[in-house]
Amino acid sequence: MLWSPLHRTPADWTVRPWQELARLSAEMNRMLADPRTAREDEFPPLRVWATEEGLRLEAQLPGFAQDSLEISVLGDTLTLRGTRENVQHVEGDAYHRRERGTQSFARTLTLPHAIEVDAVKATYKKGVLEIELPRAQSERPRKIAVANQ
Amino acid sequence: MNNPNTNENQDAHVERTHERRHWTPRADIYENVEAFVLMADVPGADESSIDVTIEQQVLSITANVPPREQSAGQLVYAEFEEGDWTRSFRIGNDVDASNVQASIKNGVLRVSVPKKKAAHRKIAVRSE
């Protein structure tokens, strides 16, 4: 299992020390809390891949209407929001077991690089949301030609 | 591994023969006038990869989630693992197991198990 937070590069520590301190303190708090419940607060569960173009993110979001999902990107911050489609009940219906969530959610992530907002693509299929997050042009590595004197 | 959608399946009735992990989907069960309705979160599964069976009053669901292709890049962060969904429920004998209906939408399986019709019938009385 991979548990490597996205932004743990030395560059982050030097460029954004306060943000890194805040992250460390948040992580400490989470470790002190009950680890089981602490992690379960994070909805939706995510997986992230690094690709040549940037990042690809996958979220398990069963039972949402496609147009109730909202993705917003600002610089290197990604926010996901959504509201679950709930069953409409009539009087007399009774629950025997209730484990699935019924609430709306919002989750914000800090990504390791800025995102080219116009090129973000998302698909929602079989209860899985997949988002392509290409790295911003300004943050792409550039090849520099060496001049011959 | 904790995941808001899952618990690791520890009491599956059938041992798997391959290494793939399987998880217990979260489920709701409610009852209305006509039926018992089961709703289960099985993200990644669709109608072609899911099986619902009833045998000896046990309703079982098995949903396969096709593995992701390897060329997708490098996995750098994960809060859930790939795997299939399996779970079984014992159902009472006051249901009509031959008319069970199942459907799936946006990764949520819905199984409706109708209740048995009341045994009494109305008998028309003729006048003579």
Side-chain angles (χ1 to χ4, degrees):
Chain A
M1 197 69 262
L2 285 155
W3 268 112
S4 55
L6 286 174
H7 38 65
R8 200 180 267 171
T9 54
D12 257 52
W13 174 250
T14 48
V15 177
R16 287 178 276 199
W18 301 116
Q19 191 176 326
E20 182 67 6
L21 272 179
R23 189 190 65 75
L24 276 175
S25 116
E27 198 159 282
M28 286 300 286
N29 287 339
R30 204 167 57 189
M31 282 160 71
L32 291 171
D34 178 356
R36 197 169 49 87
T37 53
R39 280 274 150 67
E40 294 207 349
D41 285 346
E42 304 280 12
F43 186 90
L46 303 174
R47 288 202 290 182
V48 182
W49 286 264
T51 63
E52 277 179 26
E53 294 76 39
L55 297 168
R56 175 181 296 147
L57 183 143
E58 186 186 275
Q60 283 187 332
L61 283 165
F64 287 79
Q66 194 174 317
D67 50 16
S68 84
L69 291 171
E70 191 189 307
I71 302 161
S72 54
V73 180
L74 181 70
D76 62 355
T77 305
L78 170 76
T79 303
L80 304 175
R81 281 195 185 82
T83 308
R84 231 177 222 262
E85 275 187 311
N86 289 320
V87 180
Q88 300 299 313
H89 287 292
V90 296
E91 215 184 307
D93 288 5
Y95 268 92
H96 295 278
R97 192 186 282 269
R98 198 156 204 185
E99 301 164 357
R100 299 169 63 240
T102 53
Q103 302 284 314
S104 55
F105 75 91
R107 186 167 181 189
T108 300
L109 300 167
T110 305
L111 304 170
H113 53 69
I115 300 302
E116 192 69 41
V117 180
D118 295 334
V120 173
K121 276 187 226 143
T123 52
Y124 181 62
K125 220 164 52 182
K126 301 193 272 187
V128 178
L129 177 70
E130 211 177 298
I131 313 175
E132 300 270 356
L133 299 156
R135 187 189 284 260
Q137 286 298 336
S138 58
E139 294 200 12
R140 287 195 186 206
R142 240 164 299 170
K143 213 170 187 174
I144 288 133
V146 179
N148 200 353
Q149 299 246 314
Chain B
M1 189 70 202
N2 293 298
N3 174 329
N5 282 326
T6 56
N7 306 302
E8 191 162 6
N9 200 341
Q10 285 168 341
D11 56 356
H13 302 296
V14 183
E15 293 277 326
R16 300 293 294 257
T17 52
H18 57 284
E19 293 239 328
R20 207 116 198 277
R21 287 209 137 176
H22 45 121
W23 307 93
T24 304
R26 291 197 169 217
D28 290 347
I29 297 172
Y30 66 89
E31 142 178 29
N32 59 26
V33 183
E34 291 113 36
F36 293 94
V37 181
L38 164 75
M39 308 273 283
D41 285 343
V42 289
D46 63 14
E47 66 278 9
S48 62
S49 69
I50 196 157
D51 274 324
V52 179
T53 56
I54 296 184
E55 205 185 339
Q56 312 258 5
Q57 293 184 10
V58 175
L59 186 147
S60 302
I61 59 182
T62 309
N64 294 310
V65 178
R68 161 175 285 279
E69 72 279 20
Q70 291 298 307
S71 60
Q74 192 203 344
L75 186 65
V76 291
Y77 181 75
E79 293 170 346
F80 64 91
E81 272 180 84
E82 216 158 61
D84 298 334
W85 303 101
T86 56
R87 192 163 178 184
S88 300
F89 300 87
R90 190 161 290 279
I91 54 176
N93 51 13
D94 53 345
V95 298
D96 181 3
S98 56
N99 281 310
V100 173
Q101 301 210 326
S103 59
I104 187 164
K105 184 185 171 193
N106 291 336
V108 180
L109 173 73
R110 182 182 191 278
V111 183
S112 170
V113 185
K115 294 178 182 173
K116 260 189 191 150
K117 296 273 185 295
H120 63 265
R121 271 182 302 150
K122 192 159 181 163
I123 292 147
V125 179
R126 284 182 302 153
S127 68
E128 294 198 10

